[in-house]
Amino acid sequence: MISEKMMKLTQNSSVIRAMFEEGIRLAAIYGRENVYDFSLGNPSFPAPDSVKDAVMEILDSRDPMFVHGYMSNAGYPEVREAIAASLNRRFGTSFGAGNILMTVGAAGSLNVILKTLLNPGDEVIAVSPFFVEYGNYVSNYDGVLKVVPADRTTFQLDTEAIGEAVTKKTKAVILNSPNNPTGVIYSEETLRKLAAVLEKKSEELGEPIYILSDEPYRELAYDGAVVPYIPNIYRNTFVCYSWSKSLSLPGERIGYLVIPSEADDAQLIFEAASIANRVNGCVNAPSLFQLVAAKCVDEKTDLFGYDTNRKLLYEGLEKCGFECTMPQGAFYLWMKTPVDDDTVFCETAKKYNILVVPGKSFACPGYVRIAYCVSKETIERSMPAFEKLAHEYGLK
Ligand code: PLP
């Protein structure tokens, strides 16, 4: 018999995955080109050529015992040094290899830091809508997720509400900007307000409250939008980064965790996090792709395709009469449903072969997430279907 925890998880298995399966089923009936599957956040553009070049060069030029061997649980020192140097160039930080821990994607990074910090019953604040896995990650370490809604008009942080949610059990606040699912980027002004709130609360509690900045979409920011680097705003910040989206490498499972020296207990946390990486069964991040990441560390993300999709989708849906938040980053569009029940709306959308994810899955009913990491043609072909859907709800 499986554990009670896994039984619950198995029964509540991800809505997004279920949608994906539904897409496959509909495609078999109506043909792939007639199904508009906006359910998954899988990058739709291939990794840049520099990734393949780096793989070939590493395999050709380096000792296979080095490339495929075990290394320190934190990762290859030369890779961590290269990442630290790149961050220092970009954000004026002064990191070294000792601040960077290579992880199995941002998911691995979040799990490592949560395992490192949490005692059973400790609380972690997440801002809704949020990436559905946060609840599972926190529960992995018997922590308690406390949900604080974002401002419902701008989807920026409600810093006062976050402050009010802090208790003596609060260990951390997870932030995700650019945000999945809203596409919002948290402004420097808002982050500074939050920093002031958390500093005051930490002082009152006599214990630090850490920010865990989950940043797989950092490079996906449009119209020149700046994504503030939170360690420069709040000392007790750990950054969970990955190349899953920026270099289209989600299957390679490569990312890192930043533990700035300025954070409270930084050295102890770094040592514990290296052990957490090992004992959670990852041991270390994938070796070949650590070396690839170091070679591609300054590679620019090609935003043109996503930006084109973003504008096409936003303009098309607004024309249909839907109410949308213009995404500033990531590759998701957040749309208000014309009925209160977003699950009913998603079922109705399926009649027109449109697959979108209900806001309920992100702890924010009344909305849907539309992932536009699809082909431009899918968006163009889906518009008549969205028009019919809008018509059914009497929009326009
Ligand atoms: N955090 C957010 C907000 C995400 O959307 C995702 C993946 O979609 C992840 C973390 C996990 O990313 P990774 O593939 O780097 O583990």
Side-chain angles (χ1 to χ4, degrees):
M1 193 61 181
I2 62 173
S3 72
E4 283 167 26
K5 220 175 191 176
M6 282 313 300
M7 183 62 88
K8 254 196 214 149
L9 271 179
T10 309
Q11 282 161 350
N12 302 335
S13 163
S14 163
V15 178
I16 300 178
R17 280 273 148 197
M19 286 266 173
F20 182 62
E21 302 297 332
E22 180 70 358
I24 294 172
R25 192 186 71 79
L26 290 176
I29 303 171
Y30 301 104
R32 178 148 294 288
E33 68 286 1
N34 299 316
V35 177
Y36 316 114
D37 187 350
F38 297 103
S39 61
L40 261 197
N42 215 0
S44 48
F45 298 99
D49 290 346
S50 57
V51 168
K52 185 177 171 195
D53 295 345
V55 170
M56 303 311 265
E57 200 187 318
I58 292 161
L59 293 180
D60 277 345
S61 65
R62 300 202 70 164
D63 177 359
M65 299 301 283
F66 175 79
V67 174
H68 303 300
Y70 286 125
M71 81 296 300
S72 144
N73 298 139
Y76 292 114
E78 65 178 57
V79 170
R80 292 153 53 209
E81 197 64 65
I83 292 165
S86 168
L87 294 173
N88 296 344
R89 282 193 295 276
R90 294 177 63 194
F91 305 117
T93 46
S94 42
F95 299 139
N99 301 111
I100 311 291
L101 192 143
M102 302 307 294
T103 59
V104 177
S109 190
L110 282 163
N111 273 273
V112 162
I113 194 63
L114 289 168
K115 185 170 180 63
T116 302
L117 296 178
L118 296 189
N119 285 311
D122 279 350
E123 292 172 0
V124 177
I125 294 174
V127 179
S128 70
F130 59 83
F131 177 51
V132 64
E133 299 288 15
Y134 291 161
N136 296 328
Y137 298 165
V138 168
S139 143
N140 282 343
Y141 312 102
D142 297 322
V144 177
L145 192 79
K146 289 202 68 180
V147 179
V148 175
D151 178 288
R152 282 291 180 263
T153 41
T154 60
F155 289 97
Q156 287 280 331
L157 302 172
D158 182 343
T159 54
E160 225 171 90
I162 294 176
E164 280 161 16
V166 169
T167 72
K168 57 182 188 314
K169 290 247 168 213
T170 305
K171 246 326 175 15
V173 179
I174 304 182
L175 299 184
N176 167 226
S177 170
N179 185 264
N180 171 12
T182 63
V184 163
I185 294 174
Y186 298 147
S187 69
E188 175 155 352
E189 190 194 347
T190 311
L191 290 166
R192 288 208 180 276
K193 269 194 207 151
L194 179 67
V197 167
L198 294 183
E199 269 154 24
K200 188 159 170 271
K201 289 283 175 186
S202 299
E203 215 176 286
E204 282 168 20
L205 293 176
E207 294 280 347
I209 299 170
Y210 295 104
I211 288 181
L212 313 183
S213 181
D214 179 25
E215 306 192 348
Y217 303 97
R218 164 164 287 282
E219 319 317 334
L220 277 66
Y222 307 105
D223 300 329
V226 173
V227 184
Y229 200 62
I230 306 179
N232 288 340
I233 295 173
Y234 186 71
R235 186 171 61 81
N236 279 319
T237 298
F238 304 128
V239 179
C240 303
Y241 183 88
S242 97
W243 286 276
S244 292
K245 318 287 174 170
S246 58
L247 291 185
S248 299
L249 296 172
E252 300 298 348
R253 313 304 308 132
I254 186 71
Y256 62 81
L257 172 67
V258 182
I259 301 176
S261 305
E262 294 75 19
D264 287 354
D265 299 320
Q267 178 126 21
L268 182 60
I269 288 175
F270 192 92
E271 279 167 32
S274 305
I275 296 169
N277 212 16
R278 188 185 87 221
V279 302
N280 72 6
C282 293
V283 182
N284 54 251
S287 56
L288 174 60
F289 269 77
Q290 285 191 43
L291 298 166
V292 171
K295 277 195 171 291
C296 299
V297 73
D298 290 323
E299 184 69 41
K300 292 266 174 291
T301 305
D302 186 356
L303 289 178
F304 181 76
Y306 292 136
D307 196 16
T308 307
N309 288 357
R310 175 180 77 117
K311 289 174 180 149
L312 253 179
L313 187 63
Y314 179 81
E315 281 159 21
L317 291 175
E318 286 272 313
K319 253 191 221 150
C320 290
F322 291 111
E323 209 180 299
C324 305
T325 305
M326 179 58 153
Q328 297 167 290
F331 43 45
Y332 307 105
L333 188 139
W334 189 237
M335 185 175 95
K336 202 165 178 4
T337 50
V339 275
D340 286 345
D341 193 332
D342 44 308
T343 312
V344 167
F345 179 79
C346 290
E347 282 305 313
T348 312
K350 263 192 226 165
K351 278 199 324 206
Y352 303 100
N353 289 348
I354 297 171
L355 296 175
V356 292
V357 183
K360 247 178 226 148
S361 308
F362 306 94
C364 187
Y367 295 82
V368 286
R369 186 193 80 173
I370 309 176
Y372 56 85
C373 42
V374 295
S375 69
K376 182 171 164 240
E377 291 70 36
T378 300
I379 295 179
E380 284 167 344
R381 277 202 309 267
S382 71
M383 278 307 147
F386 273 113
E387 268 169 38
K388 285 183 203 146
L389 180 61
H391 191 69
E392 177 154 348
Y393 283 102
L395 299 179
K396 276 237 319 234

